[in-house]
């Protein structure tokens, strides 16, 4: 596992194959970083599926409203249509490129509609630069991300088993 130098701004996502360690970028996207930590601390991401996973592109998750496979009302067809009970976030675009392993804020066509959903890039996706907020990067466990089941949505989606802030772990 990578050395964690800033536990307060490090997220640990437990997947079926192991932990993925994400360094948040609060100096670049403070609101998005704070939102992810708040939802992680509330346990909101635990059990949420990867509802859109495209080979050679990215894996998307984070719909805490409709994507929690632990909920009795879970319906994979609704996963990806919701957010959280918190307000949407304004875009925090930067010069950081969407490189392999970076975390991007998923949103609708409105640049200021990001909420709880995010994606992890499987490869450099520079065509997204300046259009989606980059607010973290995988520093360990990208091999586990690479093994997430593909599909839009996957027939049997992988999920985030547990998501926590390293300072609380």
């Amino acid at each position: 596992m990578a050395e964690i130098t800033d536990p307060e701004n490090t997220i640990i996502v437990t997947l079926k194959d192991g932990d993925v360690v994400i360094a948040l970028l609060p100096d670049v996207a403070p609101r998005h970083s704070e939102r992810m930590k708040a939802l992680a601390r509330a346990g909101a991401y635990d059990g949420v599926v990867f509802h859109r996973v495209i080979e050679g592109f990215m894996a998307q998750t984070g719909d805490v409203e409709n994507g929690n496979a632990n909920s009795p009302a879970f319906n994979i067809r609704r996963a990806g249509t919701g957010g959280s009970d918190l307000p949407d976030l304004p875009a925090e675009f930067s010069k950081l490129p969407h490189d392999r392993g970076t975390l991007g804020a998923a949103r609708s066509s409105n640049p200021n509609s990001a909420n709880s959903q995010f994606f992890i890039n499987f490869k450099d996706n520079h065509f997204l630069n300046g259009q989606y907020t980059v607010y973290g990067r995988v520093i360990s466990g990208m091999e586990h991300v690479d093994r997430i089941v593909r599909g839009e949505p996957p027939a049997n989606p992988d999920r985030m088993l547990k998501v926590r802030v390293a300072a609380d772990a």
Side-chain angles (χ1 to χ4, degrees):
M1 189 179 295
E3 181 183 345
I4 296 173
T5 58
D6 183 2
E8 179 57 27
N9 289 299
T10 303
I11 298 290
I12 301 170
V13 179
T14 301
L15 301 179
K16 70 180 184 326
D17 294 317
D19 287 342
V20 178
V21 181
I22 298 168
L24 295 176
L25 304 169
D27 53 328
V28 174
R31 291 180 177 158
H32 287 76
S33 297
E34 283 303 314
R35 173 65 53 86
M36 185 166 213
K37 291 190 297 186
L39 292 171
R41 284 189 163 121
Y45 284 129
D46 298 353
V48 174
V49 300
F50 286 87
H51 63 271
R52 185 170 178 242
V53 186
I54 302 171
E55 181 66 41
F57 181 30
M58 58 86 215
Q60 185 172 332
T61 185
D63 181 351
V64 302
E65 182 180 9
N66 298 319
N68 191 329
N70 296 333
S71 166
F74 174 70
N75 178 341
I76 188 62
R77 298 196 185 286
R78 298 218 43 229
T81 63
S84 73
D85 57 359
L86 300 171
D88 288 347
L89 296 167
E92 294 179 297
F93 298 152
S94 70
K95 299 277 189 212
L96 287 179
H98 282 266
D99 288 338
R100 172 174 163 74
T102 54
L103 193 74
R107 60 170 176 79
S108 70
S109 58
N110 176 349
N112 300 310
S113 64
N115 191 294
S116 62
Q117 292 189 47
F118 63 92
F119 58 90
I120 301 172
N121 289 292
F122 286 132
K123 67 176 193 106
D124 293 353
N125 290 312
H126 293 171
F127 66 94
L128 299 174
N129 293 353
Q131 299 177 61
Y132 293 83
T133 300
V134 174
Y135 66 102
R137 72 173 39 96
V138 173
I139 59 173
S140 176
M142 192 63 194
E143 68 275 15
H144 306 313
V145 174
D146 289 334
R147 287 197 284 275
I148 294 170
V149 173
R150 285 14 180 203
E152 293 184 77
N156 187 18
D158 284 328
R159 64 188 78 177
M160 297 184 287
L161 302 174
K162 184 151 190 62
V163 180
R164 61 201 186 280
V165 178
D168 305 335

